[in-house]
Amino acid sequence: MPKKIIKTENLNLWFANKKILKEINLEIVENKITAIIGPSGCGKSTFVRTLNRMNDLIPSCRITGNVHYKGKNIFSPETDVTNLRQNIGQVFQKPNPFPKSIFDNIAFGPRLYGEKNKDKLKNIVEESLEKVGLWKEVKNDLAKNALSLSGGQQQRLCLARTLATKPKVILMDEPCSALDPLSTAKIEDLMQNLKDITIVIVTHNMQQATRVSHFTGFFLMGKLIEFGETKDIFTKPQNKKTEDYISGKFG
Amino acid sequence: MKNNRILKEKIIFSFIKMAAFFSAITLVLIIGYVFIRGFKVISWQFLFQEVQQRDITKGGILQAIIGTIYLGIGTFFIAVPAGISSAIFLNEYIPDTKTSRVIRVAIRNLAGVPSIVYGLFGLAVFVQFFNLKTSLLSAILTLSSMTLPWIITASEESLKAVPFEFREAALAMGATNWQTIKKIVIPHSLPGMITGSILGLSRALGETAPIILVGATFYCRSLPTSVFDKFMALPYHLFILATQHAHPQAHEYALGTAIVLITIIYLMSLTAILIRYHLRKKKNA
């Protein structure tokens, strides 16, 4: 039995009076890649943003049901949400480096948790940039503004910035949709190399889901229609709607 | 038909051009008038000697200059921290609640209250209720209350201009609200907040009405030695010279005082521009 790191139970979510997620029961397997696919507006982004409680930022958001991270309910009053977000990092659709130097971007997370030692910070920066294959490209420009990098480099920088916080899980919300195919391939390679991190990736791109993920969940109109191993979902879907979607009949 | 359109274009264009020139000419005329008529009285004596009550031509306006500078410094250190903090509270902690809307409406209206009314307020609250007497401190507090709404509004605008993605990225890494504000939001919005604050302050320093009621006086034998002393200030000095002084050259000395006041205010605006330029450069380095 593979270990489950995140578990949702009867998760419902509303923005004001609009119901976005309906009775989601889903389990994320530790250290594997889970893809969330589905047409626009099906609630897949909202779903991943629930897992690190980023929906807390939206005042009209209301949630029922439970989400467990390592067996603990993330909505319970004892949960320290900053701690949760340190463990469950996120990479956004649009690269969003801070308008600071490359070094300060990567060191941002460790500094948040109180790391002041310059040598340690240097090591973390090098290690994180090395993991995303940026170190060689930027090692002489660490003081340069991160916004001077190309879009693909910026997205890898954002991934490195998240890795520097040593997360157990990384949520990726269509991380490649603003990137060219070459940069996309690089990000996908990186995902494969992060063997000791659980990844949940939202994607529009079904080829991407088949390329990178071990498990796939198909969302439609706020419901989880089907969930299973990626190869099963794409070769022998159980549900007619899943079959229609992956064969391109809608979406 | 076609000619008609082109004619319309020409008429409209010359009209807006005239309007633009009109404002520029007004400024040139004001500055020109003040400088040409008042320039003669500017001298080292005028700038660095104390006022001679008997004969204004024998002394300077040192007390008034120092009084205005004290007023500016005091107001800066009270109104700017209070204004920026209020803006952060409104925009970052309770961005869209009933409380914040009520406070915001109050602030907008506060910005429209005439300055003389602030004088009355200062007289009732600081001078009488808190028993600070008519003093430098009362005037600083009165001008601080007056500049507060301008500073809050300017600061809120620059806080709003911080892209949501930056906050989102910081929070998603486990930053607390305050860490996000301190490390991301404030550095990004500081140039705008400082500029807005200094411009608000420079407007306040030109005010005459409120400070007359709470502590400015036409003549002090010496410079204020504590915040509880009365003080002289440039705008009030100017007002008395221009309207109530018997000396035949009083009008020229009023314009000389105006030059000093305008220069101080322009120097402050220049400082604001330099600070903004410096912080922008640092941000984009």
Side-chain angles (χ1 to χ4, degrees):
Chain A
M1 240 338 238
K3 217 175 133 195
K4 308 284 169 34
I5 190 164
I6 295 176
K7 220 181 203 178
T8 76
E9 286 172 0
N10 304 331
L11 180 68
N12 290 291
L13 182 146
W14 293 259
F15 288 142
N17 292 322
K18 201 165 172 241
K19 195 164 184 181
I20 308 291
L21 297 177
K22 296 164 190 166
E23 295 291 312
I24 308 288
N25 289 288
L26 193 154
E27 294 180 331
I28 309 264
V29 179
E30 190 165 26
N31 298 343
K32 297 287 178 200
I33 300 176
T34 302
I36 307 289
I37 59 167
S40 298
C42 68
K44 50 192 193 309
S45 288
T46 306
F47 173 73
V48 297
R49 294 171 67 94
T50 310
L51 305 181
N52 62 347
R53 286 187 47 186
M54 284 303 278
N55 287 327
D56 289 13
L57 303 186
I58 297 156
S60 69
C61 173
R62 194 161 58 82
I63 293 171
T64 65
N66 286 321
V67 176
H68 292 283
Y69 167 69
K70 290 194 167 174
K72 287 196 184 117
N73 185 358
I74 65 166
F75 301 121
S76 91
E78 287 103 68
T79 302
D80 173 1
V81 65
T82 60
N83 199 350
L84 177 78
R85 289 175 186 157
Q86 182 186 352
N87 285 313
I88 307 183
Q90 185 173 359
V91 173
F92 295 84
Q93 181 169 3
K94 224 179 95 201
N96 56 356
F98 300 123
K100 295 172 180 283
S101 71
I102 293 172
F103 187 94
D104 287 344
N105 263 278
I106 309 291
F108 187 84
R111 280 179 179 149
L112 287 180
Y113 320 128
E115 184 59 72
K116 288 199 179 89
N117 185 310
K118 280 201 178 127
D119 292 324
K120 276 190 190 159
L121 286 173
K122 264 185 206 160
N123 285 338
I124 295 172
V125 170
E126 178 171 350
E127 197 184 311
S128 310
L129 288 170
E130 192 69 70
K131 274 188 198 157
V132 300
L134 258 182
W135 177 247
K136 284 206 186 79
E137 295 166 47
V138 302
K139 66 178 173 193
N140 296 322
D141 298 324
L142 293 179
K144 251 172 83 179
N145 194 314
L147 295 173
S148 62
L149 298 173
S150 75
Q153 287 176 320
Q154 285 188 17
Q155 193 63 308
R156 281 189 284 153
L157 179 87
C158 291
L159 183 56
R161 182 176 66 180
T162 304
L163 290 174
T165 69
K166 307 251 182 292
K168 305 286 181 296
V169 180
I170 298 181
L171 309 173
M172 297 187 171
D173 190 354
E174 302 196 37
C176 301
S177 65
L179 305 183
D180 62 277
L182 206 68
S183 302
T184 302
K186 276 185 186 157
I187 300 265
E188 287 180 6
D189 282 348
L190 295 172
M191 292 169 66
Q192 304 288 355
N193 292 334
L194 299 171
K195 302 251 187 255
D196 53 354
I197 292 180
T198 311
I199 294 175
V200 182
I201 177 173
V202 168
T203 179
H204 254 112
N205 182 329
M206 281 177 277
Q207 284 80 24
Q208 184 169 57
T210 54
R211 280 195 302 261
V212 301
S213 71
H214 306 101
F215 298 92
T216 296
F218 171 57
F219 276 61
L220 185 64
M221 294 169 77
K223 282 186 187 147
L224 177 64
I225 303 293
E226 193 167 347
F227 183 81
E229 290 200 29
T230 300
K231 57 179 190 316
D232 296 339
I233 295 277
F234 282 94
T235 52
K236 40 182 194 232
Q238 304 295 307
N239 191 298
K240 180 81 176 55
K241 286 173 187 157
T242 315
E243 194 184 336
D244 287 352
Y245 182 71
I246 60 172
S247 59
K249 284 198 182 141
F250 71 94
Chain B
M1 190 61 201
K2 203 183 163 206
N3 279 337
N4 195 5
R5 274 189 343 153
I6 290 169
L7 185 68
K8 225 184 209 168
E9 164 83 17
K10 274 186 181 154
I11 292 171
I12 301 259
F13 181 70
S14 29
F15 178 75
I16 52 180
K17 197 163 83 178
M18 249 164 55
F21 272 109
F22 182 72
S23 8
I25 286 168
T26 312
L27 178 72
V28 171
L29 286 178
I30 291 177
I31 304 277
Y33 167 72
V34 171
F35 271 79
I36 288 164
R37 293 285 311 277
F39 195 70
K40 278 170 273 167
V41 306
I42 302 286
S43 65
W44 291 112
Q45 180 200 324
F46 185 68
L47 293 175
F48 295 107
Q49 282 194 13
E50 297 189 352
V51 177
Q52 295 293 320
Q53 202 191 7
R54 296 256 168 81
D55 183 355
I56 47 169
T57 61
K58 292 276 169 358
I61 53 166
L62 185 68
Q63 296 102 309
I65 295 176
I66 298 290
T68 288
I69 290 174
Y70 281 172
L71 207 53
I73 293 172
T75 308
F76 185 85
F77 282 106
I78 292 178
V80 173
I84 291 181
S85 308
S86 313
I88 289 173
F89 176 68
L90 283 177
N91 203 57
E92 305 298 318
Y93 281 92
I94 51 162
D96 202 26
T97 57
K98 239 181 206 150
T99 327
S100 74
R101 260 171 274 159
V102 170
I103 297 178
R104 229 171 251 133
V105 169
I107 290 168
R108 295 269 145 76
N109 285 304
L110 210 53
V113 171
S115 61
I116 183 86
V117 179
Y118 278 101
L120 288 173
F121 166 79
L123 185 65
V125 174
F126 303 125
V127 176
Q128 287 162 359
F129 184 77
F130 287 109
N131 205 18
L132 300 174
K133 305 280 168 13
T134 47
S135 64
L136 185 57
L137 183 60
S138 293
I140 286 172
L141 292 171
T142 305
L143 284 191
S144 297
S145 329
M146 194 175 89
T147 37
L148 216 44
W150 303 336
I151 295 177
I152 295 172
T153 311
S155 301
E156 262 211 283
E157 290 309 314
S158 46
L159 287 170
K160 283 210 182 81
V162 180
F164 182 68
E165 294 90 75
F166 294 161
R167 302 166 202 266
E168 196 176 48
L171 291 169
M173 292 173 77
T176 61
N177 225 346
W178 172 240
Q179 284 177 319
T180 309
I181 292 168
K182 193 177 87 183
K183 289 167 183 268
I184 302 295
V185 176
I186 291 183
H188 200 272
S189 53
L190 200 60
M193 297 201 283
I194 295 282
T195 315
S197 300
I198 294 183
L199 292 180
L201 188 62
S202 59
R203 268 171 78 189
L205 283 188
E207 284 290 346
T208 318
I211 57 171
I212 299 177
L213 295 170
V214 295
T217 174
F218 173 61
Y219 180 68
C220 287
R221 196 178 292 276
S222 57
L223 296 170
T225 52
S226 91
V227 288
F228 298 106
D229 287 350
K230 287 188 172 217
F231 65 100
M232 290 180 66
L234 291 167
Y236 186 44
H237 189 70
L238 193 164
F239 169 73
I240 296 287
L241 287 182
T243 58
Q244 293 171 29
H245 209 276
H247 198 282
Q249 274 179 289
H251 197 69
E252 273 169 39
Y253 277 81
L255 288 166
T257 309
I259 293 176
V260 176
L261 181 59
I262 290 174
T263 310
I264 288 179
I265 287 171
Y266 279 12
L267 282 178
M268 288 176 63
S269 304
L270 190 69
T271 314
I273 292 168
L274 289 177
I275 290 176
R276 186 171 50 182
Y277 179 75
H278 177 73
L279 290 175
R280 280 236 177 99
K281 222 172 74 180
K282 219 171 100 188
K283 205 166 66 184
N284 297 328

